Amino acid sequence: MATLGDIGVSAAINILSAFIFLLAFAFLRLQPFNDRVYFPKWYLRNLRTDPTTSGTFVSKFVNLDFRSYIRFLNWMPDALKMPEPALIEHAGLDSAVYLRIYLLGLKIFVPIAFLAWSILVPVNWTNSTLEDATKFSNVTASNIDKLSISNIPTGSQRFWSHILMAYAFTFWTCYVLMKEYEKVALMRLQFLASEKRRPDQFTVLVRNVPSDPDESTSELVEHFFLVNHPDHYLTHQAVYDANKLDKLVKKKKKLQNWLVYYQNKYTRKSSQRPFMKTGFLGLWGKKVDAIDHHVSEVEKLSKEIAVERERITNSPKSIMPAAFVSFKTRWGAAVCAQTQQSKNPTIWLTEWAPEPRDVYWPNLAIPYVSLTVRRLIVAVAFFFLTFFFMIPITFVQSLATIEGIEKAAPFLKSVIEMSFIKSVIQGFLPGIALKLFLIFLPAILMFMSKFEGFNSLSSLERRSASRYYLFNFVNVFLGSIIAGTAFEQLNTFIHQSANEIPKTLGVAIPMRATFFITYIMVDGWAGIAGEILMLKPLIMYHLKNFFLVKTERDREEAMDPGSLGFNTGEPRIQFYFLLGLVYATVTPIILPFIIIFFGLAYVVFRHQIINVYNQEYESAAAFWPDVHGRVISALVISQVLLMGLMSTKEAAQSTPFLIALPILTIWFSRFCKGRYEAAFVIYPLQEAMMKDTLERPKEPNLNLKGYLQNAYVHPVFKASEDEEDDEINDDRWENESVIVIVPTKRQSRRNTPAPSKISGASSPPPPPPPQSLPEAVQELPQP
């Protein structure tokens, strides 16, 4: 068990590591050749010029302005200078609200820490329970544990102070959560009201379109919405299974980049044609002319792409039973997205379409009927992953102790018994071992979410985040407490009667706070400092820039750091909420470590959001109900665990007063759900109508159909379009009449007097009698 000295050694190691990381970052960010690594967001927006393109040769690599080194810590106040409205304009509402999660942690835990250290720490410290227990029994304890509830004797009246503090902590946490929910909901509504026009404001995703023997999917979608939304339907885009075509196009892009590279190389040195080997990575194989080889390969792929594209556009099997349906007004889209379209609730399912850059196109090709089966498979797989993962985690943590190392490597006993080495092992090794063991977990959980079939990046990240949080709770939190307690108190469990085990367990659970303190310092201090250093992106950029970058496009791809990573960052934050709320009344010494994490992480990620991370999508803070719900769940867990702990302390008079806490917390959660969650799920019709009304006089001649026609075309089709086709398509849409007749093949609907928007460029004449009605020609949209 880690002692106060072990925690001190661990703190020194992690503080030193964090300081080295921050110092290295402050130095590296000033060097011109690293400018694209630490400020890529400004380059991708063409708002920053490369300092390596001008000046002397040395100044292109090393910053010769010594005054800048004196101000090397200016990045911290600079990160805090940008006001929140400017941050929303610069990075989006998602990023700004994500930062508010860190502020939420500070708002909750700073007052709680003040109360806990003012009241609970003196109450816990002024007892000798653990000191007596270590003398007359086999219970293991350290000086840190004397600051916890374990140091209070059973049946003591001092437990009333813990119960009163539990109520105070609960009421304060709920108050802060309610105010923050209200603030974020208001920010979301203001953002939606003030943001510029976006295709997803007018578009609905329709799933599970029923099959019809007389009409194609595209015809059926058009006809259904012209009949049921005649005044608001504008156009639609069918969903194609273009996954194979997408792979071919990506392969062609890669070959074209290599072709440009070799052509540029030949231009610089025209006396010698570039050659390459056709084997793996060009290490072996037949030696060929690099330019001719890539020209032939590109031509071959172009033919394959043309064949595959022809197959997609002509094969009915390539059209999925889904479509993006666009409306003339936001009000019309809101009505459609938030209502049931058919008396059969399993067909014509509508939801708000993700914004175009948020769409996860591969999953749109998954049949809707298979989604239930896929989610059942993933649920079972996640269950086994979660509970069987506890075995290796427990094993690794058992090895990362003095006893475990001595058992696995007896010859190291004399070394690890040294005071400093022993402190490092007990205060640092368990946390780093657990951190390393969880490296591959986010990728596994994201793969599961993709397999489930979610159709947007935001929903993929939210589902992955919820599973990550649950995994952390079961394995990292419960697993560490149960396994750690069992290992450390094993001798006591064996040599005592069965009715004494719950009491020993109740005393021992708070003692695991020392492990979590070491974990916080490894993950929350050194880990956050390592985040801003961006060592991996730094190395990868320079390696790619030296070996792989051939064009400016390649350089942009090499320096693109990606997005913030909600699926990994948010569960990490929630785990600290869980630790803080659970241990606030049990072992308050953990709270300052958590506060330092929230403060440091807020500054670091504010800098990263402003300068580094490029947001992939904008969900207008749709994730906040999940954030709120997980903090509530952590609060309830802390209350239940406190009741279980108090029940072992023979506090029969005071323990029943804790029963009201989870009941009140759940009631509060239901209140917030009913009061605020609708703002994150439903778009008010009043807001939609207001925005439509304000926009109409500003842009009376807006060609909305031309604006929306290609918004939800699969990117693989957009990438292969040329400018001439775009101009032709624009002219066709602009000159098209708005009111035409619905052509249909269905006998029961031939006389439906509804307009068509997709069947041609000009209005057809009124339909002839049913017996002579010509067959409608369905024209697939030109990609």
Side-chain angles (χ1 to χ4, degrees):
M1 176 177 292
T3 64
L4 189 61
D6 300 335
I7 296 297
V9 172
S10 178
I13 293 174
N14 287 284
I15 290 174
L16 181 62
S17 300
F19 179 76
I20 292 174
F21 289 154
L22 294 175
L23 194 64
F25 162 74
F27 175 79
L28 291 174
R29 68 185 286 270
L30 296 176
Q31 310 312 314
F33 67 99
N34 292 328
D35 205 57
R36 288 180 177 269
V37 178
Y38 293 111
F39 302 96
K41 193 168 190 174
W42 302 97
Y43 282 96
L44 294 174
R45 297 186 178 187
N46 297 320
L47 296 175
R48 192 178 181 96
T49 57
D50 193 342
T52 62
T53 58
S54 60
T56 62
F57 178 79
V58 176
S59 63
K60 292 180 180 180
F61 299 95
V62 180
N63 187 350
L64 300 178
D65 184 6
F66 293 99
R67 291 173 296 179
S68 62
Y69 293 97
I70 301 175
R71 305 186 302 269
F72 70 97
L73 290 179
N74 277 7
W75 66 270
M76 290 186 178
D78 289 344
L80 300 174
K81 281 181 181 178
M82 183 179 288
E84 191 171 64
L87 182 65
I88 294 174
E89 180 70 22
H90 174 71
L93 184 64
D94 280 346
S95 298
V97 172
Y98 180 84
L99 289 173
R100 293 191 71 90
I101 305 177
Y102 295 106
L103 289 179
L104 177 67
L106 292 174
K107 291 176 182 178
I108 290 176
F109 289 116
V110 169
I112 286 179
F114 177 78
L115 280 177
W117 277 79
S118 300
I119 298 174
L120 293 182
V121 169
V123 170
N124 295 336
W125 179 259
T126 54
N127 285 281
S128 59
T129 304
L130 288 179
E131 185 177 352
D132 296 338
T134 55
K135 290 180 180 179
F136 302 107
S137 67
N138 294 323
V139 173
T140 304
S142 67
N143 291 332
I144 293 179
D145 298 316
K146 295 178 182 179
L147 298 173
S148 72
I149 198 173
S150 300
N151 201 32
I152 296 182
T154 56
S156 173
Q157 293 297 316
R158 295 192 178 201
F159 287 121
W160 283 105
S161 61
H162 296 82
I163 293 175
L164 291 176
M165 286 298 98
Y167 271 90
F169 297 164
T170 297
F171 289 155
W172 173 251
T173 302
C174 290
Y175 173 77
V176 175
L177 283 174
M178 184 183 68
K179 288 297 183 181
E180 200 66 20
Y181 213 152
E182 181 180 2
K183 174 65 176 178
V184 174
L186 180 61
M187 291 172 63
R188 173 180 167 86
L189 292 176
Q190 291 176 343
F191 179 80
L192 294 175
S194 62
E195 71 173 339
K196 299 177 181 178
R197 185 191 313 108
R198 294 194 323 189
D200 55 293
Q201 297 171 351
F202 300 88
T203 307
V204 169
L205 175 61
V206 184
R207 306 290 295 270
N208 214 23
V209 177
S211 59
D212 191 290
D214 298 318
E215 291 184 327
S216 67
T217 299
S218 186
E219 290 173 326
L220 189 61
V221 169
E222 176 193 27
H223 190 272
F224 179 86
F225 284 95
L226 284 173
V227 170
N228 295 285
H229 299 267
D231 298 327
H232 300 283
Y233 170 75
L234 182 63
T235 184
H236 76 275
Q237 174 61 53
V239 174
Y240 297 92
D241 183 0
N243 291 344
K244 181 179 178 181
L245 180 60
D246 186 42
K247 293 179 181 178
L248 292 174
V249 170
K250 289 179 179 177
K251 185 177 179 181
K252 181 182 176 181
K253 282 184 178 179
K254 185 177 179 180
L255 289 174
Q256 285 176 330
N257 283 343
W258 278 107
L259 177 59
V260 171
Y261 167 72
Y262 285 116
Q263 287 174 339
N264 292 339
K265 185 176 181 180
Y266 179 64
T267 302
R268 291 192 298 267
K269 192 176 181 181
S270 58
S271 61
Q272 183 179 358
R273 297 277 293 186
F275 285 88
M276 61 170 287
K277 294 181 179 180
T278 56
F280 178 71
L281 294 179
L283 299 176
W284 58 74
K286 184 180 178 181
K287 193 173 183 179
V288 296
D289 185 287
I291 295 177
D292 294 340
H293 174 74
H294 282 90
V295 168
S296 63
E297 289 295 316
V298 169
E299 290 178 355
K300 187 189 301 182
L301 270 178
S302 297
K303 293 178 181 179
E304 292 182 26
I305 290 172
V307 171
E308 178 64 17
R309 181 167 176 167
E310 186 70 18
R311 185 192 67 80
I312 292 174
T313 55
N314 293 331
S315 173
K317 295 181 179 179
S318 298
I319 302 179
M320 305 305 298
F324 290 99
V325 180
S326 298
F327 294 82
K328 299 175 183 177
T329 62
R330 296 174 181 83
W331 189 91
V335 170
C336 180
Q338 297 164 181
T339 55
Q340 183 174 312
Q341 303 301 308
S342 171
K343 62 182 179 181
N344 183 350
T346 63
I347 61 174
W348 296 107
L349 304 178
T350 57
E351 60 183 277
W352 280 107
E355 65 164 322
R357 58 180 178 162
D358 188 21
V359 177
Y360 186 68
W361 295 96
N363 280 1
L364 289 179
I366 299 175
Y368 186 83
V369 292
S370 69
L371 294 181
T372 303
V373 177
R374 283 171 169 262
R375 289 171 187 177
L376 177 61
I377 293 173
V378 170
V380 174
F382 179 69
F383 173 82
F384 285 105
L385 174 70
T386 301
F387 287 95
F388 282 97
F389 217 80
M390 188 178 291
I391 297 174
I393 285 181
T394 305
F395 177 72
V396 169
Q397 286 194 280
S398 67
L399 289 180
T401 60
I402 297 295
E403 296 80 6
I405 296 176
E406 289 180 351
K407 185 177 180 180
F411 58 89
L412 295 177
K413 184 175 180 179
S414 58
V415 177
I416 62 179
E417 288 296 334
M418 297 173 60
S419 178
F420 177 76
I421 301 298
K422 187 176 182 180
S423 297
V424 171
I425 293 174
Q426 291 186 326
F428 181 74
L429 192 58
I432 195 68
L434 180 61
K435 179 72 175 175
L436 294 175
F437 208 78
L438 299 176
I439 286 178
F440 300 105
L441 180 64
I444 296 173
L445 297 180
M446 180 56 72
F447 173 79
M448 287 183 170
S449 299
K450 291 179 179 178
F451 182 81
E452 281 188 279
F454 291 98
N455 53 47
S456 66
L457 297 174
S458 56
S459 58
L460 285 173
E461 291 197 340
R462 288 200 297 270
R463 174 54 66 95
S464 181
S466 65
R467 287 212 170 97
Y468 200 168
Y469 174 75
L470 183 59
F471 184 94
N472 277 340
F473 171 69
V474 173
N475 282 283
V476 180
F477 182 72
L478 291 182
S480 298
I481 287 179
I482 296 172
T485 300
F487 279 122
E488 292 183 3
Q489 306 296 337
L490 185 60
N491 186 55
T492 305
F493 290 166
I494 294 174
H495 294 92
Q496 67 180 4
S497 60
N499 60 350
E500 293 294 321
I501 292 179
K503 295 181 181 180
T504 305
L505 188 62
V507 173
I509 285 177
M511 298 179 186
R512 292 302 293 169
T514 55
F515 165 75
F516 289 117
I517 289 174
T518 63
Y519 181 79
I520 291 169
M521 288 188 290
V522 171
D523 179 72
W525 294 9
I528 292 296
E531 155 70 28
I532 199 169
L533 179 59
M534 298 178 60
L535 189 59
K536 179 182 175 182
L538 177 68
I539 295 173
M540 293 303 297
Y541 169 75
H542 286 299
L543 288 176
K544 290 179 179 179
N545 193 43
F546 187 78
F547 292 106
L548 301 178
V549 169
K550 299 165 289 297
T551 63
E552 190 62 31
R553 182 187 304 173
D554 291 339
R555 184 170 287 104
E556 290 183 0
E557 293 177 357
M559 73 178 179
D560 188 2
S563 61
L564 190 61
F566 179 83
N567 61 309
T568 56
E570 195 268 347
R572 179 192 201 180
I573 306 171
Q574 291 294 345
F575 187 67
Y576 290 104
F577 276 105
L578 176 65
L579 293 180
L581 292 172
V582 167
Y583 281 100
T585 53
V586 176
T587 311
I589 193 175
I590 201 174
L591 293 176
F593 297 90
I594 293 176
I595 291 173
I596 291 174
F597 160 76
F598 279 115
L600 179 62
Y602 176 73
V603 177
V604 166
F605 279 100
R606 210 174 199 274
H607 172 274
Q608 298 295 82
I609 284 173
I610 292 173
N611 298 297
V612 180
Y613 291 125
N614 196 31
Q615 193 172 349
E616 287 186 286
Y617 59 83
E618 177 59 66
S619 69
F623 57 81
W624 191 260
D626 297 334
V627 175
H628 177 87
R630 283 193 269 274
V631 177
I632 289 291
S633 66
L635 190 58
V636 173
I637 289 168
S638 69
Q639 295 159 355
V640 172
L641 290 178
L642 182 61
M643 282 193 293
L645 178 59
M646 296 288 281
S647 65
T648 67
K649 295 290 189 177
E650 299 179 2
Q653 296 180 350
S654 55
T655 302
F657 286 91
L658 290 172
I659 298 175
L661 277 180
I663 297 175
L664 291 174
T665 304
I666 294 172
W667 173 85
F668 168 77
S669 175
R670 293 179 63 85
F671 166 76
C672 288
K673 183 181 179 68
R675 176 65 181 85
Y676 302 112
E677 187 174 342
F680 297 86
V681 179
I682 300 172
Y683 187 44
L685 296 180
Q686 182 184 22
E687 294 292 324
M689 179 62 75
M690 185 183 303
K691 199 165 181 63
D692 289 331
T693 304
L694 293 174
E695 186 180 73
R696 198 172 294 118
K698 293 180 180 178
E699 300 178 86
N701 299 321
L702 172 66
N703 178 22
L704 188 59
K705 179 176 284 187
Y707 173 72
L708 295 173
Q709 64 172 341
N710 289 327
Y712 286 96
V713 173
H714 196 293
V716 73
F717 294 127
K718 289 183 178 181
S720 56
E721 286 180 345
D722 54 53
E723 295 181 0
E724 183 178 355
D725 289 339
D726 290 340
E727 293 176 2
I728 293 174
N729 288 336
D730 290 341
D731 293 339
R732 184 187 70 180
W733 287 108
E734 290 175 3
N735 296 327
E736 183 182 4
S737 176
V738 176
I739 302 178
V740 290
I741 304 300
V742 183
T744 179
K745 299 176 183 178
R746 303 189 61 174
Q747 298 291 332
S748 61
R749 296 184 182 176
R750 282 182 173 173
N751 293 325
T752 304
S756 173
K757 299 292 187 293
I758 196 173
S759 300
S762 59
S763 301
Q771 62 271 16
S772 61
L773 181 67
E775 292 186 354
V777 178
Q778 175 62 31
E779 183 179 347
L780 289 173
Q782 180 69 27

